[in-house]
Amino acid sequence: MEKYDVKFKKKFGQNFLKDINIVKRIVDVSGVDENSLVIEVGPGGAIMTRELALKARNVLAYEIDTELEDELFKRLDGFSNVDVLFQDFLTSDLESDVKKYNYKDIYFVSNVPYYITTPILMKLINSKLPFKKIVMMVQKEVGDRYTTNPGNREYSSITVLLNYFYDVRKEFFVSRKQFVPVPNVDSVIVSLSEKKDRLPLNDFSLFERILRDSFQFKRKNIKNNLKNYDLKIVESVLSKYGFDLNSRAEMLGIEVFVDLANSLGK
C-alpha cells in the first residue's frame, strides 16, 4: 500500500489511491501505449502518473496544489517523459499545451476531484482534441448516471451528451476504503471510447441548449420545458419516435434530441 506524507486539502477534493493493483487495472483499461500522450488531472501522490509513464510516450499532468510540487518532483525523479503543470486544468489552454508533443493517440486517464468531474468532461469535449479514450474514476452514483438508459431515473442531459460523443461503460467498482483519506462515497471506473458511428449534428451549441432545457425541470413534460421553441416542430419530431408533447425528457433517446436540434436549427 502506498504511503503519503502530505497534508490533504478538502478544498481540492484530495483523496489519494493507495492500492497499486487498482492503479494498474486503470492503466490496463485505458489501453495506453508507447505512441500515446496521456493527460492526467490531479496527479496527487503520482501513484498513477508513474504507471502511465511506464506505458506512454509522454504524460502531461495538471496539479492545482502548488504545495505538492516538492513531493511530486521527488516521486517522479527519473521519469523524463512526465511534465507537471501547476495550474488549474479548467482554465488551462489545453490545445496549446499539447502542441509540443509528438504522439499518435491522445488519452485522458485520471482520478479527478469529484466536484469538477462534469466540468472536466465538458472541457475535453469542447477542446475538439481527438481523445481515443477517456478513463476516469468517478463517484458510483455519477457512473450510474453516465451509463444509464432512457426511462431510468438517473437519465439526464449529461447522459445524452456523453453518449452522443462516446461509447460509455462502467469498468469496475472501487471501494472508498482504497483511498486516503477515506471519502464518504464509493467509486467506479468509467471509460469513454471515441464513438465511430456518431449521428450527424448541425449545431452542437443548439443541441447542448436543448438538452439543458429539456431536463431543466425533470417532473415537467417536453411541452413545458421547451415552450420557448417552435412546438409544432418539436411535436412533429417527437411523433416520428412514438412520443408527444406530454412525454418527459428522460424517456427520449439520443437520436430524438439530435433530430430536435437539427430540425429546430433549420
Side-chain angles (χ1 to χ4, degrees):
M1 292 293 179
E2 191 85 1
K3 303 292 184 182
Y4 297 103
D5 186 24
V6 298
K7 184 178 180 180
F8 297 98
K9 298 181 179 65
K10 189 174 182 180
K11 67 178 180 178
F12 293 143
Q14 290 176 338
N15 300 96
F16 294 176
L17 267 172
K18 58 184 182 180
D19 190 339
I20 189 63
N21 293 313
I22 291 176
V23 173
K24 288 178 181 291
R25 282 188 72 185
I26 295 171
V27 175
D28 286 343
V29 163
S30 74
V32 167
D33 61 26
E34 67 275 8
N35 296 312
S36 307
L37 169 63
V38 183
I39 307 298
E40 183 187 14
V41 172
I47 184 173
M48 187 150 68
T49 315
R50 294 197 303 256
E51 289 300 314
L52 289 168
L54 292 173
K55 295 285 186 73
R57 176 175 294 176
N58 293 100
V59 178
L60 173 59
Y62 292 82
E63 177 55 64
I64 196 172
D65 187 359
T66 56
E67 291 184 15
L68 287 175
E69 187 168 355
D70 290 342
E71 182 74 11
L72 275 171
F73 284 150
K74 179 178 68 177
R75 287 172 172 265
L76 293 170
D77 183 42
F79 287 94
S80 60
N81 62 336
V82 178
D83 294 315
V84 181
L85 299 180
F86 287 90
Q87 59 183 264
D88 185 349
F89 175 73
L90 292 178
T91 60
S92 67
D93 187 346
L94 181 58
E95 297 95 317
S96 178
D97 291 342
V98 304
K99 282 182 179 178
K100 74 172 188 176
Y101 297 98
N102 178 30
Y103 57 90
K104 179 183 177 184
D105 296 308
I106 184 168
Y107 293 79
F108 182 93
V109 184
S110 189
N111 172 21
V112 301
Y114 289 167
Y115 71 99
I116 54 171
T117 300
T118 298
I120 285 177
L121 282 168
M122 291 309 302
K123 183 177 180 70
L124 297 180
I125 289 172
N126 289 321
S127 75
K128 303 296 192 299
L129 290 172
F131 286 95
K132 186 172 184 179
K133 200 169 190 179
I134 297 169
V135 179
M136 299 175 69
M137 184 178 295
V138 300
Q139 186 176 329
K140 182 180 178 299
E141 289 74 14
V142 173
D144 292 340
R145 187 178 309 135
Y146 290 171
T147 56
T148 194
N149 295 312
N152 292 324
R153 188 180 56 154
E154 297 87 0
Y155 192 71
S156 66
S157 59
I158 191 65
T159 314
V160 179
L161 192 65
L162 292 181
N163 283 272
Y164 173 75
F165 284 100
Y166 306 104
D167 293 317
V168 188
R169 60 177 290 174
K170 283 187 284 189
E171 297 289 351
F172 60 91
F173 172 84
V174 181
S175 168
R176 67 189 73 184
K177 297 178 182 178
Q178 300 298 332
F179 295 88
V180 55
V182 178
N184 296 321
V185 296
D186 292 314
S187 303
V188 67
I189 302 299
V190 295
S191 67
L192 300 89
S193 302
E194 183 182 14
K195 181 165 283 185
K196 303 297 184 183
D197 55 348
R198 194 186 305 168
L199 295 169
L201 181 63
N202 298 332
D203 186 339
F204 172 68
S205 61
L206 177 59
F207 176 64
E208 190 178 14
R209 188 164 70 249
I210 288 171
L211 284 178
R212 185 172 59 249
D213 291 341
S214 295
F215 286 92
Q216 184 178 10
F217 302 106
K218 291 204 70 172
R219 297 188 63 82
K220 290 189 175 182
N221 57 28
I222 289 293
K223 181 178 181 179
N224 285 303
N225 283 338
L226 297 186
K227 62 185 178 182
N228 293 324
Y229 297 81
D230 189 329
L231 287 179
K232 287 186 178 179
I233 294 177
V234 173
E235 185 176 30
S236 175
V237 171
L238 292 176
S239 67
K240 292 196 298 185
Y241 300 91
F243 299 106
D244 56 37
L245 291 174
N246 291 315
S247 301
R248 290 180 179 174
E250 65 190 43
M251 303 303 298
L252 311 181
I254 297 172
E255 68 283 353
V256 182
F257 290 106
V258 171
D259 200 344
L260 281 170
N262 289 340
S263 299
L264 288 167
K266 291 179 180 177

